[in-house]
Amino acid sequence: MFRPTVSLAVLACAALLVTAVLASAAALPQPASAAGVTLYVDGKHGHDGNNGRSWGEAYKTINHAARQVPRGTAAAGWTIVVRGYADYIYRERPVPGSYARAGTAQSPLVFTAEGWSPGATNYVKPIVSGALLAPKTGARWHADQSAGVWWTPWSSAPARFDRSKPYTAAVFQGRTTWLWQHASLADLRGKAGRGDGGYWWDAGSDRLYVATRNGVDPSSVTIDVPTFVGFYFTGTAGARHIVVRGFVVQHASMGIQFHLGADHNTAVDNDAVANNPMGFGTSGRETSSGFDPAVGNVFLRNTATYNTQQGFKIDAGSQDTVICHNSVQRNAAQGIKVLGPMDGSDPRATTGTEVCHNLLAHQSTQRIGSARQDERPNGLTLADGARGTYVHHNTIRDNVVGIQVNQGRSGSPIANTVVKRNQVHTNRIGLSLRDGVDAARMGSGSFELSYNLYWDNGVGIRIFPGSTNKTFKHETIYANREDGVTVGCFCGSLARASAVISESLVTHNAGHGVAVVNSGVVRLRYSGLASNGLGPTSGQVDRLAVNTRPAGYLSRDEASADFLRIGRGSFQYTAGPENGPIGARY
């Protein structure tokens, strides 16, 4: 798959890559395949004692069907077709643990909804839930000693329950309302009156304690307790060339995951709703013989909503991952998180991730108990040495932070990163570069940011101390509610923040166009800084051919195709080097 570099030739090939990836998804085999067997699953009318070879002999559970597939590459070409219903939920672990099956590039193993075809919308997606309903059959809710808290008998810990990590996992009131695990039962009882809801599982008494959102009686709502893993495949078991398409996966411990070195798998046209902790993911692994990356996993046209941490997590050791044409909204931490290893001795490099044509919106509800800036909900996070990431043609809006860059003290800097032709708007911060906050030497990774639009954010771009070696070219930073660009901070840090802003338009921001504080420094080249409320710049700015002439936008209407485009009659059309245009759109 594509490994982004900063070369213009490679960037020019990006559209061809996405077209090829989409074409390959469209060419995925239909349920019948000469190379394998088709098995049928009907949760309402099937029975696991049937032979599964027709709808009349359909199995009842996906898990039972998955067990019938032969091991290893003998699974190539096998297809499991699942019938969806609006009023039926498959409450199960759909794939057994240590699932040692693999397809091939020509004949993958396919899990598919009945009626799926590329681009189809006239089929019913099977709903697969990893949760059990509370209370269980025969049990009931009991009022606790504290007002607003109830309990029911519950013999096993909910998925991801961890006493040492409060407020990172949840049970669900209704389909999408998080009831976060609290720090203790006393903590839950003490905070129940706030109306935020929450839960605690007590191993000593085998009880599940719940405080509902706004204090409603839990018997009047559904309480889903995540228990099972979703579609979970590992390289440890040899999983590869597996396709999952057309499902709703909810309330599971991980929704659809290609983990621990699972290679060349595809998730397409799925909905991951309210899973613990992420909807979709991939990761590499360390083995006794070395590093085993997860290579070439593809996520296309999925939705990821209300997951307790990330919609998508591209974890350490993932290589050549494609995440394109997805809708990622209202997740509790990050819409998409791409990260390398946190420890410098960990060999699991994350390289070559492509993030394109996604909607990343409304990651804006910070988890209870979380106050760190690097945990603010954001559309996209790049973290901990992720390298060669190419982020292009995304819409990133209405998050706390649109794009967040974080780097720990160890490992290698985030580098060889290209961010191009994205629309970043109505976030509190459009782009936040924090890679040098923990250690200034880690903030030196190379970034090229070009042809992006940042508008109506609080601050368009914030470059924190220690972040250096960042180049902005042909950007438009317009009508942000504070500064267009803030470099450095009044935070006591003496680490230098620096950037080059070239051939860009920074206009109509309420604060300064570019504000540099403390030890920050910016080089401005051939840029326009008209109509900023507090003036074009403040602080240490090195200027070359900077102007304050009007931008000459053809339209400032967001609905217009000419939004923030400059016309040929504008001075800015010939204000760049060699009389070329400046700004992102012309």
Side-chain angles (χ1 to χ4, degrees), residues 83 140 169 289 298 433 450 454:
R83 178 162 286 172
R140 64 184 182 87
S289 57
V298 176
L433 296 173
S450 60
Y454 310 83

Side-chain angles (χ1 to χ4, degrees), residues 342-488:
M342 297 179 66
D343 186 340
S345 64
D346 188 333
R348 295 176 302 154
T350 299
T351 61
T353 306
E354 183 175 16
V355 180
C356 69
H357 296 276
N358 301 291
L359 170 63
L360 307 175
H362 299 289
Q363 278 72 227
S364 57
T365 304
Q366 194 155 346
R367 299 195 311 272
I368 298 170
S370 175
R372 290 170 46 191
Q373 284 205 40
D374 58 3
E375 291 183 344
R376 289 180 174 182
N378 55 78
L380 170 67
T381 287
L382 306 178
D384 296 329
R387 302 177 70 84
T389 308
Y390 184 30
V391 181
H392 65 98
H393 293 93
N394 301 281
T395 298
I396 305 173
R397 61 175 174 82
D398 298 298
N399 308 284
V400 174
V401 179
I403 302 174
Q404 177 95 293
V405 179
N406 294 322
Q407 174 65 50
R409 290 180 176 272
S410 61
S412 58
I414 303 166
N416 195 24
T417 302
V418 175
V419 181
K420 186 173 184 179
R421 297 195 185 280
N422 301 283
Q423 297 194 22
V424 183
H425 64 96
T426 52
N427 308 282
R428 293 188 201 172
I429 302 174
L431 168 66
S432 175
L433 296 173
R434 296 180 52 83
D435 48 330
V437 168
D438 282 348
R441 68 184 186 280
M442 291 300 167
S444 62
S446 60
F447 274 62
E448 287 195 8
L449 304 103
S450 60
Y451 296 97
N452 300 290
L453 300 181
Y454 310 83
W455 81 92
D456 197 23
N457 302 285
V459 176
I461 297 169
R462 286 207 66 178
I463 304 173
F464 283 84
S467 185
T468 59
N469 200 23
K470 309 301 187 291
T471 300
F472 298 84
K473 189 173 183 179
H474 281 289
E475 303 276 73
T476 294
I477 305 163
Y478 166 82
N480 294 285
R481 297 183 295 278
E482 299 175 43
D483 297 325
V485 182
T486 302
V487 182

Side-chain angles (χ1 to χ4, degrees), residues 24-44:
S24 67
L28 292 173
Q30 296 303 300
S33 172
V37 173
T38 298
L39 301 176
Y40 298 87
V41 179
D42 183 338
K44 269 193 173 183

Side-chain angles (χ1 to χ4, degrees), residues 6-252:
V6 296
S7 74
L8 294 176
V10 171
L11 295 180
C13 294
L16 295 177
L17 169 70
V18 175
T19 299
V21 170
L22 289 171
S24 67
L28 292 173
Q30 296 303 300
S33 172
V37 173
T38 298
L39 301 176
Y40 298 87
V41 179
D42 183 338
K44 269 193 173 183
H45 306 294
H47 189 280
D48 283 345
N50 291 338
N51 66 30
R53 302 302 175 94
S54 67
W55 286 120
E57 285 288 322
Y59 296 130
K60 183 175 182 62
T61 65
I62 306 167
N63 184 287
H64 184 79
R67 291 176 185 274
Q68 311 315 306
V69 177
R71 290 176 175 269
T73 55
W78 280 62
T79 301
I80 296 174
V81 187
V82 183
R83 178 162 286 172
Y85 294 95
D87 60 349
Y88 181 83
I89 296 175
Y90 291 85
R91 291 187 180 273
E92 57 173 300
R93 177 174 184 168
V95 178
S98 300
Y99 195 60
R101 277 75 167 173
T104 65
Q106 294 73 30
S107 298
L109 167 59
V110 178
F111 293 79
T112 186
E114 180 191 20
W116 179 92
S117 63
T121 58
N122 59 345
Y123 67 99
V124 179
K125 292 183 176 181
I127 303 170
V128 180
S129 173
L132 297 175
L133 282 173
K136 296 177 180 177
T137 302
R140 64 184 182 87
W141 289 108
H142 304 265
D144 181 59
Q145 65 188 43
S146 299
V149 179
W150 289 262
W151 65 268
T152 191
W154 203 266
S155 58
S156 58
R160 319 300 294 188
F161 177 82
D162 187 338
R163 288 172 172 79
S164 67
K165 297 179 180 179
Y167 309 106
T168 59
V171 303
F172 295 91
Q173 177 179 326
R175 192 180 187 208
T176 59
T177 299
W178 302 308
L179 301 180
W180 295 105
Q181 176 204 314
H182 278 54
S184 64
L185 179 55
D187 180 45
L188 177 67
R189 286 168 170 165
K191 295 177 180 176
R194 297 182 180 182
D196 295 328
Y199 89 94
W200 180 258
W201 179 70
D202 184 73
S205 61
D206 281 343
R207 289 180 178 181
L208 178 70
Y209 289 84
V210 167
T212 57
R213 187 67 62 88
N214 298 321
V216 301
D217 189 322
S219 62
S220 67
V221 295
T222 59
I223 304 294
D224 279 276
V225 182
T227 302
F228 309 119
V229 175
F231 283 97
Y232 183 77
F233 305 96
T234 69
T236 306
R240 61 188 181 277
H241 293 295
I242 296 173
V243 176
V244 181
R245 64 195 192 197
F247 290 88
V248 176
V249 183
Q250 63 188 38
H251 303 152

Side-chain angles (χ1 to χ4, degrees), residues 269-282:
D269 293 328
N270 303 286
D271 302 334
V273 184
N275 297 283
N276 270 325
M278 76 280 293
F280 301 88
T282 179

Side-chain angles (χ1 to χ4, degrees), residues 297-372:
N297 293 306
V298 176
F299 302 91
L300 294 175
R301 298 196 307 264
N302 303 285
T303 68
T305 56
Y306 294 100
N307 299 287
T308 61
Q309 290 190 30
Q310 298 89 19
F312 291 79
K313 187 177 185 182
I314 310 308
D315 214 335
S318 301
Q319 298 186 358
D320 300 329
T321 308
V322 174
I323 316 163
C324 292
H325 296 273
N326 303 283
S327 175
V328 190
Q329 301 192 60
R330 302 185 189 281
N331 300 284
Q334 299 92 17
I336 298 174
K337 186 173 186 178
V338 182
L339 71 162
M342 297 179 66
D343 186 340
S345 64
D346 188 333
R348 295 176 302 154
T350 299
T351 61
T353 306
E354 183 175 16
V355 180
C356 69
H357 296 276
N358 301 291
L359 170 63
L360 307 175
H362 299 289
Q363 278 72 227
S364 57
T365 304
Q366 194 155 346
R367 299 195 311 272
I368 298 170
S370 175
R372 290 170 46 191

